Amino acid sequence: MNIGEAAKQSGLPAKTIRYYEDIGLVLAQRDANGYRVFASRDVHNLTFLARARSLGFTIEDCRALLALYQDSDRASAEVKKIALDHLTEINSKIAGLQAMADTLSILVQKCAGNDRPECPILTELQSPKPEGS
Protein backbone atom coordinates (compact mmCIF):
# COMPACT_ATOMS: atom_id res chain seq x y z
CA MET A 1 0.00 0.00 0.00
CA ASN A 2 1.11 3.60 -0.49
CA ILE A 3 1.98 6.10 2.23
CA GLY A 4 -1.48 7.67 2.17
CA GLU A 5 -3.17 4.36 2.93
CA ALA A 6 -0.53 3.49 5.55
CA ALA A 7 -1.14 6.87 7.17
CA LYS A 8 -4.88 6.30 7.18
CA GLN A 9 -4.62 2.82 8.68
CA SER A 10 -1.98 3.70 11.29
CA GLY A 11 -3.45 7.04 12.33
CA LEU A 12 -0.17 8.83 11.66
CA PRO A 13 0.21 11.72 9.22
CA ALA A 14 2.22 10.90 6.09
CA LYS A 15 4.69 13.61 7.12
CA THR A 16 5.35 11.77 10.40
CA ILE A 17 5.85 8.50 8.56
CA ARG A 18 8.38 10.18 6.26
CA TYR A 19 10.15 11.59 9.31
CA TYR A 20 10.25 8.19 10.99
CA GLU A 21 11.78 6.79 7.82
CA ASP A 22 14.34 9.64 7.66
CA ILE A 23 15.54 8.89 11.19
CA GLY A 24 15.60 5.14 10.59
CA LEU A 25 12.74 4.30 12.93
CA VAL A 26 10.86 2.54 10.12
CA LEU A 27 12.06 1.25 6.79
CA ALA A 28 9.77 1.45 3.81
CA GLN A 29 10.29 -0.65 0.72
CA ARG A 30 10.45 1.24 -2.57
CA ASP A 31 8.53 0.45 -5.71
CA ALA A 32 10.22 0.55 -9.13
CA ASN A 33 9.02 4.14 -9.50
CA GLY A 34 10.60 5.10 -6.14
CA TYR A 35 7.35 5.39 -4.19
CA ARG A 36 7.17 3.97 -0.70
CA VAL A 37 5.34 0.67 -0.35
CA PHE A 38 4.10 -0.49 3.04
CA ALA A 39 3.16 -4.03 4.01
CA SER A 40 0.63 -4.83 6.72
CA ARG A 41 3.45 -5.47 9.24
CA ASP A 42 4.78 -1.96 8.49
CA VAL A 43 1.36 -0.50 9.27
CA HIS A 44 1.25 -2.59 12.44
CA ASN A 45 4.64 -1.13 13.49
CA LEU A 46 3.45 2.39 12.64
CA THR A 47 0.34 1.85 14.77
CA PHE A 48 2.58 0.60 17.60
CA LEU A 49 4.70 3.76 17.29
CA ALA A 50 1.63 6.00 17.21
CA ARG A 51 0.38 4.45 20.44
CA ALA A 52 3.78 4.67 22.13
CA ARG A 53 4.10 8.33 21.14
CA SER A 54 0.58 9.03 22.41
CA LEU A 55 1.79 7.77 25.80
CA GLY A 56 4.65 10.27 25.65
CA PHE A 57 7.54 7.92 24.97
CA THR A 58 10.49 9.64 23.33
CA ILE A 59 11.65 8.68 19.87
CA GLU A 60 14.59 6.80 21.39
CA ASP A 61 12.28 4.98 23.80
CA CYS A 62 10.06 4.11 20.83
CA ARG A 63 13.09 2.80 18.96
CA ALA A 64 13.99 0.57 21.91
CA LEU A 65 10.41 -0.57 22.49
CA LEU A 66 9.91 -1.39 18.81
CA ALA A 67 13.13 -3.41 18.78
CA LEU A 68 11.99 -5.28 21.88
CA TYR A 69 8.53 -5.80 20.40
CA GLN A 70 10.08 -7.36 17.30
CA ASP A 71 12.43 -9.56 19.35
CA SER A 72 10.60 -12.73 20.41
CA ASP A 73 13.51 -13.55 22.75
CA ARG A 74 13.18 -10.27 24.64
CA ALA A 75 13.16 -10.02 28.39
CA SER A 76 10.05 -8.23 29.62
CA ALA A 77 12.25 -6.66 32.32
CA GLU A 78 13.79 -4.45 29.64
CA VAL A 79 10.37 -3.28 28.52
CA LYS A 80 9.29 -2.68 32.09
CA LYS A 81 12.42 -0.62 32.83
CA ILE A 82 11.73 1.70 29.90
CA ALA A 83 8.10 2.07 30.99
CA LEU A 84 9.00 2.63 34.67
CA ASP A 85 11.61 5.26 33.77
CA HIS A 86 9.01 7.04 31.66
CA LEU A 87 6.39 6.77 34.41
CA THR A 88 8.84 8.28 36.91
CA GLU A 89 9.42 11.18 34.54
CA ILE A 90 5.67 11.69 34.09
CA ASN A 91 5.09 11.67 37.85
CA SER A 92 7.88 14.21 38.32
CA LYS A 93 6.27 16.49 35.74
CA ILE A 94 2.89 16.07 37.44
CA ALA A 95 4.43 17.05 40.79
CA GLY A 96 6.00 20.12 39.19
CA LEU A 97 2.72 21.11 37.57
CA GLN A 98 0.87 20.60 40.87
CA ALA A 99 3.37 22.84 42.66
CA MET A 100 2.85 25.52 40.00
CA ALA A 101 -0.92 25.20 40.30
CA ASP A 102 -0.74 25.45 44.11
CA THR A 103 1.41 28.59 43.96
CA LEU A 104 -0.73 30.22 41.32
CA SER A 105 -3.91 29.34 43.23
CA ILE A 106 -2.58 31.08 46.35
CA LEU A 107 -1.63 34.15 44.32
CA VAL A 108 -5.02 34.31 42.62
CA GLN A 109 -6.71 34.12 46.03
CA LYS A 110 -4.53 36.97 47.34
CA CYS A 111 -5.34 39.25 44.41
CA ALA A 112 -8.39 41.43 45.01
CA GLY A 113 -9.06 41.67 41.30
CA ASN A 114 -10.45 45.19 41.65
CA ASP A 115 -9.70 48.59 40.10
CA ARG A 116 -6.71 49.25 42.36
CA PRO A 117 -3.18 48.76 40.96
CA GLU A 118 -1.86 46.56 43.80
CA CYS A 119 -1.55 42.98 42.65
CA PRO A 120 0.25 40.20 44.55
CA ILE A 121 0.49 38.20 41.33
CA LEU A 122 2.62 40.88 39.65
CA THR A 123 4.61 41.41 42.85
CA GLU A 124 5.42 37.70 42.99
CA LEU A 125 6.35 37.55 39.30
CA GLN A 126 8.88 40.37 39.70
CA SER A 127 10.70 38.64 42.54
CA PRO A 128 13.42 36.03 41.96
CA LYS A 129 12.33 32.41 41.90
CA PRO A 130 12.50 30.93 45.43
CA GLU A 131 15.34 28.49 46.02
CA GLY A 132 14.40 24.85 45.54
CA SER A 133 11.59 25.67 43.14
PDB file of all heavy atoms in Angstrom, residues 5 14 20 24 36-38 41 62 73 75 80 87 89 93 95 107 109 133:
ATOM      1  N   GLU A   5      -2.377   5.441   2.322  1.00  0.00           N
ATOM      2  CA  GLU A   5      -3.167   4.363   2.932  1.00  0.00           C
ATOM      3  C   GLU A   5      -2.540   3.921   4.253  1.00  0.00           C
ATOM      4  O   GLU A   5      -3.245   3.653   5.231  1.00  0.00           O
ATOM      5  CB  GLU A   5      -3.287   3.183   1.966  1.00  0.00           C
ATOM      6  CG  GLU A   5      -4.207   2.087   2.444  1.00  0.00           C
ATOM      7  CD  GLU A   5      -5.643   2.526   2.686  1.00  0.00           C
ATOM      8  OE1 GLU A   5      -6.126   3.456   2.007  1.00  0.00           O
ATOM      9  OE2 GLU A   5      -6.297   1.938   3.572  1.00  0.00           O
ATOM     10  N   ALA A  14       1.178  11.336   7.032  1.00  0.00           N
ATOM     11  CA  ALA A  14       2.217  10.902   6.090  1.00  0.00           C
ATOM     12  C   ALA A  14       3.543  11.598   6.393  1.00  0.00           C
ATOM     13  O   ALA A  14       4.612  10.992   6.287  1.00  0.00           O
ATOM     14  CB  ALA A  14       1.779  11.173   4.659  1.00  0.00           C
ATOM     15  N   TYR A  20       9.812   9.430  10.365  1.00  0.00           N
ATOM     16  CA  TYR A  20      10.250   8.187  10.990  1.00  0.00           C
ATOM     17  C   TYR A  20      11.172   7.398  10.060  1.00  0.00           C
ATOM     18  O   TYR A  20      12.128   6.777  10.504  1.00  0.00           O
ATOM     19  CB  TYR A  20       9.058   7.316  11.394  1.00  0.00           C
ATOM     20  CG  TYR A  20       8.283   7.816  12.596  1.00  0.00           C
ATOM     21  CD1 TYR A  20       7.100   7.211  12.969  1.00  0.00           C
ATOM     22  CD2 TYR A  20       8.719   8.887  13.373  1.00  0.00           C
ATOM     23  CE1 TYR A  20       6.383   7.630  14.077  1.00  0.00           C
ATOM     24  CE2 TYR A  20       8.012   9.322  14.464  1.00  0.00           C
ATOM     25  CZ  TYR A  20       6.844   8.694  14.818  1.00  0.00           C
ATOM     26  OH  TYR A  20       6.135   9.124  15.915  1.00  0.00           O
ATOM     27  N   GLY A  24      15.328   6.568  10.500  1.00  0.00           N
ATOM     28  CA  GLY A  24      15.596   5.139  10.588  1.00  0.00           C
ATOM     29  C   GLY A  24      14.724   4.383  11.577  1.00  0.00           C
ATOM     30  O   GLY A  24      15.051   3.249  11.935  1.00  0.00           O
ATOM     31  N   ARG A  36       7.155   4.855  -1.857  1.00  0.00           N
ATOM     32  CA  ARG A  36       7.172   3.970  -0.696  1.00  0.00           C
ATOM     33  C   ARG A  36       6.038   2.952  -0.804  1.00  0.00           C
ATOM     34  O   ARG A  36       4.933   3.289  -1.206  1.00  0.00           O
ATOM     35  CB  ARG A  36       6.979   4.787   0.580  1.00  0.00           C
ATOM     36  CG  ARG A  36       8.125   5.690   0.920  1.00  0.00           C
ATOM     37  CD  ARG A  36       7.707   6.649   2.050  1.00  0.00           C
ATOM     38  NE  ARG A  36       8.764   7.587   2.346  1.00  0.00           N
ATOM     39  CZ  ARG A  36       8.937   8.743   1.711  1.00  0.00           C
ATOM     40  NH1 ARG A  36       8.121   9.112   0.748  1.00  0.00           N
ATOM     41  NH2 ARG A  36       9.933   9.548   2.039  1.00  0.00           N
ATOM     42  N   VAL A  37       6.350   1.736  -0.375  1.00  0.00           N
ATOM     43  CA  VAL A  37       5.342   0.672  -0.347  1.00  0.00           C
ATOM     44  C   VAL A  37       5.371   0.068   1.052  1.00  0.00           C
ATOM     45  O   VAL A  37       6.426  -0.318   1.549  1.00  0.00           O
ATOM     46  CB  VAL A  37       5.647  -0.416  -1.404  1.00  0.00           C
ATOM     47  CG1 VAL A  37       4.615  -1.526  -1.326  1.00  0.00           C
ATOM     48  CG2 VAL A  37       5.708   0.181  -2.791  1.00  0.00           C
ATOM     49  N   PHE A  38       4.198   0.010   1.669  1.00  0.00           N
ATOM     50  CA  PHE A  38       4.098  -0.489   3.037  1.00  0.00           C
ATOM     51  C   PHE A  38       3.310  -1.791   3.073  1.00  0.00           C
ATOM     52  O   PHE A  38       2.245  -1.895   2.470  1.00  0.00           O
ATOM     53  CB  PHE A  38       3.407   0.552   3.931  1.00  0.00           C
ATOM     54  CG  PHE A  38       4.207   1.814   4.091  1.00  0.00           C
ATOM     55  CD1 PHE A  38       4.044   2.867   3.211  1.00  0.00           C
ATOM     56  CD2 PHE A  38       5.131   1.937   5.110  1.00  0.00           C
ATOM     57  CE1 PHE A  38       4.786   4.032   3.344  1.00  0.00           C
ATOM     58  CE2 PHE A  38       5.882   3.094   5.260  1.00  0.00           C
ATOM     59  CZ  PHE A  38       5.709   4.146   4.366  1.00  0.00           C
ATOM     60  N   ARG A  41       2.596  -5.498   8.039  1.00  0.00           N
ATOM     61  CA  ARG A  41       3.449  -5.468   9.237  1.00  0.00           C
ATOM     62  C   ARG A  41       4.023  -4.077   9.459  1.00  0.00           C
ATOM     63  O   ARG A  41       4.200  -3.635  10.595  1.00  0.00           O
ATOM     64  CB  ARG A  41       4.546  -6.512   9.183  1.00  0.00           C
ATOM     65  CG  ARG A  41       5.654  -6.211   8.217  1.00  0.00           C
ATOM     66  CD  ARG A  41       6.801  -7.223   8.276  1.00  0.00           C
ATOM     67  NE  ARG A  41       7.551  -7.209   7.049  1.00  0.00           N
ATOM     68  CZ  ARG A  41       8.318  -6.199   6.635  1.00  0.00           C
ATOM     69  NH1 ARG A  41       8.433  -5.120   7.373  1.00  0.00           N
ATOM     70  NH2 ARG A  41       8.961  -6.247   5.488  1.00  0.00           N
ATOM     71  N   CYS A  62      10.847   4.822  21.850  1.00  0.00           N
ATOM     72  CA  CYS A  62      10.061   4.107  20.833  1.00  0.00           C
ATOM     73  C   CYS A  62      10.952   3.171  20.024  1.00  0.00           C
ATOM     74  O   CYS A  62      10.556   2.044  19.713  1.00  0.00           O
ATOM     75  CB  CYS A  62       9.367   5.101  19.901  1.00  0.00           C
ATOM     76  SG  CYS A  62       7.975   5.955  20.663  1.00  0.00           S
ATOM     77  N   ASP A  73      12.690 -13.078  21.636  1.00  0.00           N
ATOM     78  CA  ASP A  73      13.509 -13.552  22.753  1.00  0.00           C
ATOM     79  C   ASP A  73      13.742 -12.468  23.796  1.00  0.00           C
ATOM     80  O   ASP A  73      14.606 -12.626  24.667  1.00  0.00           O
ATOM     81  CB  ASP A  73      14.867 -14.056  22.234  1.00  0.00           C
ATOM     82  CG  ASP A  73      14.731 -15.312  21.395  1.00  0.00           C
ATOM     83  OD1 ASP A  73      13.816 -16.115  21.673  1.00  0.00           O
ATOM     84  OD2 ASP A  73      15.528 -15.472  20.442  1.00  0.00           O
ATOM     85  N   ALA A  75      13.468  -9.880  26.969  1.00  0.00           N
ATOM     86  CA  ALA A  75      13.157 -10.019  28.395  1.00  0.00           C
ATOM     87  C   ALA A  75      12.175  -8.902  28.740  1.00  0.00           C
ATOM     88  O   ALA A  75      12.452  -7.731  28.478  1.00  0.00           O
ATOM     89  CB  ALA A  75      14.425  -9.892  29.227  1.00  0.00           C
ATOM     90  N   LYS A  80       9.778  -3.267  30.854  1.00  0.00           N
ATOM     91  CA  LYS A  80       9.287  -2.676  32.093  1.00  0.00           C
ATOM     92  C   LYS A  80      10.185  -1.536  32.557  1.00  0.00           C
ATOM     93  O   LYS A  80       9.686  -0.506  33.029  1.00  0.00           O
ATOM     94  CB  LYS A  80       9.182  -3.744  33.184  1.00  0.00           C
ATOM     95  CG  LYS A  80       8.548  -3.228  34.458  1.00  0.00           C
ATOM     96  CD  LYS A  80       8.313  -4.344  35.455  1.00  0.00           C
ATOM     97  CE  LYS A  80       7.614  -3.798  36.693  1.00  0.00           C
ATOM     98  NZ  LYS A  80       7.243  -4.872  37.624  1.00  0.00           N
ATOM     99  N   LEU A  87       7.398   6.480  33.401  1.00  0.00           N
ATOM    100  CA  LEU A  87       6.390   6.768  34.412  1.00  0.00           C
ATOM    101  C   LEU A  87       6.958   7.672  35.507  1.00  0.00           C
ATOM    102  O   LEU A  87       6.285   8.602  35.970  1.00  0.00           O
ATOM    103  CB  LEU A  87       5.855   5.466  35.009  1.00  0.00           C
ATOM    104  CG  LEU A  87       4.745   5.597  36.043  1.00  0.00           C
ATOM    105  CD1 LEU A  87       3.530   6.314  35.465  1.00  0.00           C
ATOM    106  CD2 LEU A  87       4.360   4.222  36.562  1.00  0.00           C
ATOM    107  N   GLU A  89       9.322   9.842  35.150  1.00  0.00           N
ATOM    108  CA  GLU A  89       9.422  11.180  34.545  1.00  0.00           C
ATOM    109  C   GLU A  89       8.056  11.869  34.499  1.00  0.00           C
ATOM    110  O   GLU A  89       7.942  13.055  34.812  1.00  0.00           O
ATOM    111  CB  GLU A  89      10.000  11.056  33.132  1.00  0.00           C
ATOM    112  CG  GLU A  89      10.289  12.372  32.466  1.00  0.00           C
ATOM    113  CD  GLU A  89      10.917  12.182  31.099  1.00  0.00           C
ATOM    114  OE1 GLU A  89      11.792  11.315  30.957  1.00  0.00           O
ATOM    115  OE2 GLU A  89      10.519  12.909  30.174  1.00  0.00           O
ATOM    116  N   LYS A  93       6.893  15.349  36.423  1.00  0.00           N
ATOM    117  CA  LYS A  93       6.270  16.486  35.743  1.00  0.00           C
ATOM    118  C   LYS A  93       4.936  16.843  36.389  1.00  0.00           C
ATOM    119  O   LYS A  93       4.612  18.016  36.551  1.00  0.00           O
ATOM    120  CB  LYS A  93       6.070  16.173  34.256  1.00  0.00           C
ATOM    121  CG  LYS A  93       7.364  16.177  33.469  1.00  0.00           C
ATOM    122  CD  LYS A  93       7.112  15.831  32.012  1.00  0.00           C
ATOM    123  CE  LYS A  93       8.422  15.775  31.235  1.00  0.00           C
ATOM    124  NZ  LYS A  93       8.199  15.433  29.823  1.00  0.00           N
ATOM    125  N   ALA A  95       4.126  16.398  39.513  1.00  0.00           N
ATOM    126  CA  ALA A  95       4.430  17.055  40.792  1.00  0.00           C
ATOM    127  C   ALA A  95       4.824  18.511  40.556  1.00  0.00           C
ATOM    128  O   ALA A  95       4.390  19.410  41.300  1.00  0.00           O
ATOM    129  CB  ALA A  95       5.554  16.303  41.519  1.00  0.00           C
ATOM    130  N   LEU A 107      -1.761  32.786  44.822  1.00  0.00           N
ATOM    131  CA  LEU A 107      -1.625  34.153  44.318  1.00  0.00           C
ATOM    132  C   LEU A 107      -2.959  34.696  43.810  1.00  0.00           C
ATOM    133  O   LEU A 107      -3.290  35.866  44.053  1.00  0.00           O
ATOM    134  CB  LEU A 107      -0.568  34.214  43.215  1.00  0.00           C
ATOM    135  CG  LEU A 107       0.869  33.950  43.663  1.00  0.00           C
ATOM    136  CD1 LEU A 107       1.799  33.883  42.453  1.00  0.00           C
ATOM    137  CD2 LEU A 107       1.321  35.033  44.635  1.00  0.00           C
ATOM    138  N   GLN A 109      -5.874  33.844  44.851  1.00  0.00           N
ATOM    139  CA  GLN A 109      -6.714  34.117  46.029  1.00  0.00           C
ATOM    140  C   GLN A 109      -6.321  35.433  46.703  1.00  0.00           C
ATOM    141  O   GLN A 109      -7.173  36.135  47.233  1.00  0.00           O
ATOM    142  CB  GLN A 109      -6.618  32.968  47.031  1.00  0.00           C
ATOM    143  CG  GLN A 109      -7.312  31.708  46.573  1.00  0.00           C
ATOM    144  CD  GLN A 109      -7.064  30.539  47.519  1.00  0.00           C
ATOM    145  OE1 GLN A 109      -6.512  30.690  48.602  1.00  0.00           O
ATOM    146  NE2 GLN A 109      -7.483  29.353  47.087  1.00  0.00           N
ATOM    147  N   SER A 133      12.777  25.750  43.971  1.00  0.00           N
ATOM    148  CA  SER A 133      11.586  25.671  43.135  1.00  0.00           C
ATOM    149  C   SER A 133      11.925  25.364  41.715  1.00  0.00           C
ATOM    150  O   SER A 133      12.962  25.573  41.236  1.00  0.00           O
ATOM    151  CB  SER A 133      10.828  26.993  43.145  1.00  0.00           C
ATOM    152  OG  SER A 133      10.368  27.277  44.440  1.00  0.00           O
TER     153      SER A 133
END
